Amino acid sequence: MKGKGHRVRRPLLKWVVALCLLAAVLVSVDRQTLWQELSQMPIDLLLPALAITVLQVLLSSGRWWYTARRLGVSLTYRVALREYYIASFLNQVLPGGVLGDVNRAWRHGRASGQPLYAMHGVAIERLSGQLVLGLAVLISVSWLAQVGVVPPESPWWMWGLVGLVVVVFLLGRYLIRSSRGARHYLRGLWRDIVRTLVAWPAFPIQMGSSVLVLASYLAVFLILAYGAGHLTSWNAMILTAALCCLLLLSMVLPVTVSGWGVREGAAAVLWPMAGLPPEQGVALSVGYGALVFLSTLPGLVFLTVRLKQAGSGARDPVRKNQDQRAYHCPD
């Protein structure tokens, strides 16, 4: 019972953290100005912004489908698209922002009969996106330091963080040398990473698709900023894009639900550093969060259909559509 209560309290705690952070942001900004900023975002721009979010899912699903093919795991693009929508919706409503991807990996592993490769496929597909985001953040911080938005030493802190990750990786590699099982698993994981992310032609395909996905994220931010009348010059557009890269990085922290609270708190800090009102950044962050949530609602439809089929005893649509014969693509 104690373990069950702990499992229930942890998700609730993240909801509480999100609400507390949002409340703190609302207290720290002018709420009337914030409402004016939100009301300036025209409704007619929602359609192109939502269209871009559809492109996001199409690209991300294709990236997962390609990764699975490189691993030799059967996955049709139609199934990948449906499961990605479901995962995106679950990531929006469940604490941590990764439980939808965990469910996606588990269902794919059950359907394909290759759970380890299915798990690696989802993890590497997500890693591809995070690598591109990390590079974009480094470029953004370097540029923001040059124009005086952030302290000049900030890029060195970012590169120091990269160095710390490398040191931790090397230390972990040294510590697990005594474990044959861990050594065998990591070698297999590294081979999968090389096959799906580093080897030719995987690298340009993975990086190219991830760059397009990141560009679509930033395009949604920029559409909202344009609708609110904030993109008055090219410099304003570049500044907004750089700041939004940092907002996307803040959402990686799995301490709330879908980045709510953390994203708005980061906006309330970053925009004044750029000489802009915090309400502008918070409004942009709230608009982005609401729009992304709306874009994942097809996942709710797919999830409802799946639950109805499970309740009626119908065959799992993933199992029905998956070719159970695994095939391998040449490296």
Side-chain angles (χ1 to χ4, degrees), residues 81-138:
L81 181 61
R82 179 172 63 244
E83 293 298 309
Y84 214 101
Y85 259 120
I86 293 175
S88 298
F89 173 74
L90 293 177
N91 285 342
Q92 286 291 312
V93 299
L94 296 178
V98 296
L99 294 180
D101 294 315
V102 172
N103 176 72
R104 173 163 59 102
W106 176 77
R107 281 174 56 79
H108 185 208
R110 187 183 65 171
S112 65
Q114 298 174 280
L116 181 62
Y117 286 139
M119 180 183 69
H120 286 180
V122 172
I124 295 170
E125 179 263 324
R126 297 293 296 186
L127 174 63
S128 173
Q130 297 306 319
L131 288 175
V132 170
L133 174 60
L135 179 60
V137 168
L138 287 174

Side-chain angles (χ1 to χ4, degrees), residues 1 59-60 75 80 108 111 115 124 140 155 162 165 174 187 236 257 268 303:
M1 294 296 293
L59 289 170
S60 299
L75 178 68
H108 185 208
I124 295 170
S140 298
V162 173
V165 171
Y174 172 78
R187 285 176 178 172
V257 182
L303 181 61

Side-chain angles (χ1 to χ4, degrees), residues 18 44 48 82 85 99 121 130 151 165 173 186 222 235 292 314:
D44 57 351
R82 179 172 63 244
Y85 259 120
L99 294 180
Q130 297 306 319
V165 171
R173 182 180 179 183
L186 288 178
L222 293 176
N235 285 337
V292 170

Side-chain angles (χ1 to χ4, degrees), residues 17-217:
V17 171
L19 292 174
C20 289
L21 289 174
L22 286 171
V25 171
L26 290 176
V27 170
S28 65
V29 301
D30 187 317
R31 289 180 292 279
Q32 183 175 358
T33 304
L34 176 60
W35 174 250
Q36 291 176 350
E37 289 285 347
L38 288 170
S39 62
Q40 287 176 359
M41 297 181 183
I43 301 298
D44 57 351
L45 287 180
L46 291 181
L47 186 58
L50 284 173
I52 290 178
T53 62
V54 173
L55 178 63
Q56 291 174 8
V57 180
L58 292 173
L59 289 170
S60 299
S61 302
R63 186 174 61 190
W64 178 33
W65 171 76
Y66 178 78
T67 304
R69 282 176 56 91
R70 296 288 295 183
L71 288 173
V73 187
S74 58
L75 178 68
T76 66
Y77 182 76
R78 180 179 179 183
V79 170
L81 181 61
R82 179 172 63 244
E83 293 298 309
Y84 214 101
Y85 259 120
I86 293 175
S88 298
F89 173 74
L90 293 177
N91 285 342
Q92 286 291 312
V93 299
L94 296 178
V98 296
L99 294 180
D101 294 315
V102 172
N103 176 72
R104 173 163 59 102
W106 176 77
R107 281 174 56 79
H108 185 208
R110 187 183 65 171
S112 65
Q114 298 174 280
L116 181 62
Y117 286 139
M119 180 183 69
H120 286 180
V122 172
I124 295 170
E125 179 263 324
R126 297 293 296 186
L127 174 63
S128 173
Q130 297 306 319
L131 288 175
V132 170
L133 174 60
L135 179 60
V137 168
L138 287 174
I139 295 173
S140 298
V141 173
S142 299
W143 183 82
L144 290 172
Q146 289 181 359
V147 298
V149 174
V150 298
E153 63 271 14
S154 294
W156 296 107
W157 282 104
M158 297 297 296
W159 286 111
L161 180 60
V162 173
L164 178 61
V165 171
V166 173
V167 170
V168 170
F169 171 77
L170 294 176
L171 180 61
R173 182 180 179 183
Y174 172 78
L175 292 176
I176 64 172
R177 282 184 175 179
S178 59
S179 173
R180 179 178 298 179
R183 185 164 61 247
H184 177 74
Y185 169 74
L186 288 178
R187 285 176 178 172
L189 176 60
W190 177 248
R191 284 195 299 268
D192 290 344
I193 291 175
V194 171
R195 181 192 305 175
T196 60
L197 194 58
V198 180
W200 181 267
F203 183 77
I205 293 176
Q206 290 276 12
M207 294 299 100
S209 61
S210 294
V211 167
L212 291 175
V213 170
L214 176 60
S216 68
Y217 292 152

Side-chain angles (χ1 to χ4, degrees), residues 299-319:
L300 175 59
V301 176
F302 291 134
L303 181 61
T304 302
V305 172
R306 178 209 292 179
L307 293 176
K308 287 184 177 180
Q309 290 174 336
S312 63
R315 190 179 181 186
D316 192 327
V318 174
R319 286 182 176 271

Side-chain angles (χ1 to χ4, degrees), residues 105 123 158 231 284:
M158 297 297 296
L231 301 187
L284 189 61

